[in-house]
Amino acid sequence: MCFSFKKYLFLLFCLSIVLQFSSCSKSKKDYSFKPVAFTVPNRTPGEADAQTKEMIKHVQFAVSQINLSTVPIILSSKKVASLASELEGLKGNKRINLLFKYGRELLNAGKTEESITTLKEVLATIEAADISSKANTIFIIKRELAIAYMRKGEQDNCLVNHTNESCIIPISAKAQHILKEGSEQAIILLNELLTQNPNDYECQYLLNIAHMTIGQYPAKVPEEFRIPEAYFLSSADFPHFTDIAMNLGVDDKQNAGGTCLGDFNGDGYLDIMASSWGFSDQIKYFENDKNGGFINKTFDAGLKGVTGGLNIRHTDYNNDGHLDFIILRGAWLNINGAIPNSLMRNNGDGTFTDVTMEAGVYSLNPTQTAVWTDINLDGWVDLFIANEWSQNQISPCELYLNQADGTFKNIAIEAGITATGYFKGVATGDLNNDMYPDLYLSNYSGPNTLYINTTQETGKPSFKAVTNEAGVSNPVESFPTWIFDYDNDGFEDIFVSGYSSAIIPASEMMIKNIKNNSHDYRPLLYKNNGNGTFKEMSLQVGLNEPIATMGCNFGDLDNDGFLDFYLATGDPSYFSIVPNRMYHNVNGETFEDVTYSAGFGHIQKGHAIGFGDLDLDGDQDIYAVMGGAFEGDVFGNLLFENPIGNKNNWINIILEGKRSNRLAMGAKIIITIEEHGKKRNIYHSVGTDASFGGNSIMAEIGLGKASIIKKMEIKWPHFSKEISIYENIKVNQTIKITEGENIQTLNLPKAPFKSNDDIDHHHH
């Protein structure tokens, strides 16, 4: 196979040379083209193929080895069953102690009514018992009962009687609870708790939300605990976005997970891939029907039984023009996290095959973060995985160099990647403008690490840690990160967000800030000084609120050419129903919070975020994977339709590499426009997005008021450092540029989203 394949490549190469010399057009450069050949496995329609099924068995075996008594967060139903059998023979104090644990686990498993019954029994027993120091114990039980009632309110209303405004604060009349028992009982308990401990910020926060859900905020919230109404009104004016996921059948109701927005079937329109991290949670594939809707093609695509993954990341690793993706598993689980990832190859016929084994990327390290990037600019994307290293689970990072034959080789150590940490995020970008991609690693248990790519100097794939010189090691408990050029000065900047901790939970951070203007735990923004150093700018640019961020991403909401971002809050605690946050970039100078005015203040758990022009109307829509970490914390995913329309102009660009990697990931697009008689540049890096999200790889670029693109420069991600320059390009269109060739206009009609009335619900 290998010999014939090499021969095939050699023939292709000879043919390309002949073509190059016979080409008479000056603007065209023909480069040899190099997909990896493979055979599509046989399979039964609606089923996974044999190879994928084999890998599913590996995952299931790894899951079967998980130790229930030490694993955090997951497998609540199994824990409930195990505790129930333990309880059977117990009496007295032993039983009551275990019963409390059982009540909590029932809540985590989503069995809320049973949890309430159990916790009430524990409370009644303790209250009746003759113990002198029971006040503290009663406080703890009541707190748990209050959150159980709050969950009941959410489940009875936001899930069962769901509307597209459910759980978005400040809560609208349409989203108020019809079934009020949950919130009313929670309010009674929260008032008792706050009488006992008025400084419990989590209870204060919850009291405000509970009153909101039944239309009693602000009037019925005692003044000393009230979140001032002014807080929600301080949101800058911005058009209101509406969630249409339910109308389109893409409101998948699962737990925390990942997403990729991308054109998986090659028809020019963006599809949606979404995962959920539970080991029995089926991955979902929604194909864009080019007519304003989506079709669930999960089983047709051979993905039946492919489960799990807190994060997924897409690319075209074998340069065949079809989008592949990797599922990352084992996050947060420490010694129980030795669950293999899955590399899913797109077969080009609408199906996927798990090629983890044959591609050589099988490993048993807990992770949720990875990037695809061509580290040596040889035209093939490589895979960097940052793992969660701890004393008990020693998991170094992995750097898989693409061997250009469908396989990868781990070269992390030789390449100088030795940093260890509990890595929750990794971002890639070109920070020193040499075209070679650098790496920024976000560590939840220590300083972050910046690796500058030194491949050009050393002549082999290599990196050097420059964290201290660059000044980018904070925050210490950080989570998601990305690299983008927020101020369009031609130097890419680093964004990294903090997270909550056992000591400071998310709702406490929020109340502390509202009351005392406390800026700890805010996201950090490192502005690139252009000389290898960075300046931390968060407070100067208005990022002063503490936010426990999980999933997030950036895009251009209003097509002004400056990048905005959405931060999703996914802290596992049921108390942490804090709003997800949207920030609008004002001319690259400051960020204004538009969370409440624009309708983004969703308080259910937010995870992966993807920006993409799903209806091809020239503005970016947002897909958000919702649902929390606990099995019972399910919620429907959201799709925010961009209502702004084209107040500003735009261009969508699909690049196709020939010598560069096929998707041209890492290419730089520099657009020169003139607005109000002034020239400015807009910078876009292809395929970079946030560490916990999945933006479209198609370059979707806002052009402000420009009526024409004066100049467009494309720096191709190849060691030859080819640059293509185009002039006077029409705005408001989708174009394709193949490396070394002229611009091609793609006549892809808009696909306006179907409204509720258009939809035949039987379809879903």
Side-chain angles (χ1 to χ4, degrees), residues 259-261 311 313-314 480-484 495 549-557 563-568 581-583 607-612 620 622-623 688-696:
T259 191
C260 297
L261 302 191
N311 202 358
R313 313 291 285 151
H314 57 308
T481 180
W482 67 69
I483 291 173
F484 68 157
F495 176 95
T549 314
M550 274 209 176
C552 52
N553 230 319
F554 59 89
D556 186 353
L557 294 177
L563 296 167
D564 316 303
F565 58 83
Y566 193 36
L567 305 181
R581 309 304 276 264
M582 180 66 85
Y583 284 92
H607 287 89
I609 302 292
F611 280 72
Q620 289 186 301
I622 297 166
Y623 190 72
T688 59
D689 68 356
S691 62
F692 196 177
N695 280 354
S696 140

Side-chain angles (χ1 to χ4, degrees), residues 257-274:
T259 191
C260 297
L261 302 191
D263 178 11
F264 284 96
N265 64 346
D267 63 1
Y269 293 79
L270 299 178
D271 311 302
I272 299 170
M273 196 71 73

Side-chain angles (χ1 to χ4, degrees), residues 640-755:
F640 287 110
E641 177 179 8
N642 193 322
I644 296 176
N646 306 313
K647 261 194 347 200
N648 285 321
N649 295 322
W650 54 277
I651 186 120
N652 287 343
I653 306 165
I654 296 168
L655 294 187
E656 185 177 302
K658 285 285 183 151
R659 282 192 296 188
S660 304
N661 70 81
R662 180 77 179 254
L663 290 176
M665 288 181 86
K668 293 193 173 183
I669 302 174
I670 305 167
I671 286 178
T672 306
I673 58 166
E674 197 173 287
E675 258 179 337
H676 317 301
K678 277 164 88 174
K679 270 191 180 180
R680 70 174 169 111
N681 285 349
I682 297 166
Y683 294 84
H684 180 94
S685 293
V686 174
T688 59
D689 68 356
S691 62
F692 196 177
N695 280 354
S696 140
I697 292 168
M698 171 167 76
E700 301 162 350
I701 302 175
L703 301 172
K705 299 288 179 219
S707 52
I708 194 159
I709 294 173
K710 286 202 154 325
K711 186 171 101 171
M712 178 158 71
E713 203 176 325
I714 296 167
K715 298 183 172 182
W716 294 94
H718 186 260
F719 63 78
S720 57
K721 302 203 183 179
E722 192 80 38
I723 296 178
S724 307
I725 293 177
Y726 304 90
E727 290 181 329
N728 300 328
I729 303 152
K730 283 200 329 206
V731 299
N732 303 339
Q733 58 167 343
T734 301
I735 60 173
K736 179 175 177 177
I737 301 174
T738 302
E739 192 171 359
E741 295 180 16
N742 290 325
I743 291 177
Q744 184 191 347
T745 302
L746 298 179
N747 293 310
L748 296 169
K750 287 181 191 180
F753 292 122
K754 290 175 178 161
S755 69

Side-chain angles (χ1 to χ4, degrees), residues 162 489 553:
H162 183 78
D489 66 351
N553 230 319

Side-chain angles (χ1 to χ4, degrees), residues 300-319:
D300 297 346
L303 294 169
K304 186 176 182 182
V306 177
T307 60
L310 187 54
N311 202 358
I312 54 180
R313 313 291 285 151
H314 57 308
T315 193
D316 175 5
Y317 77 90
N318 55 1
N319 283 333

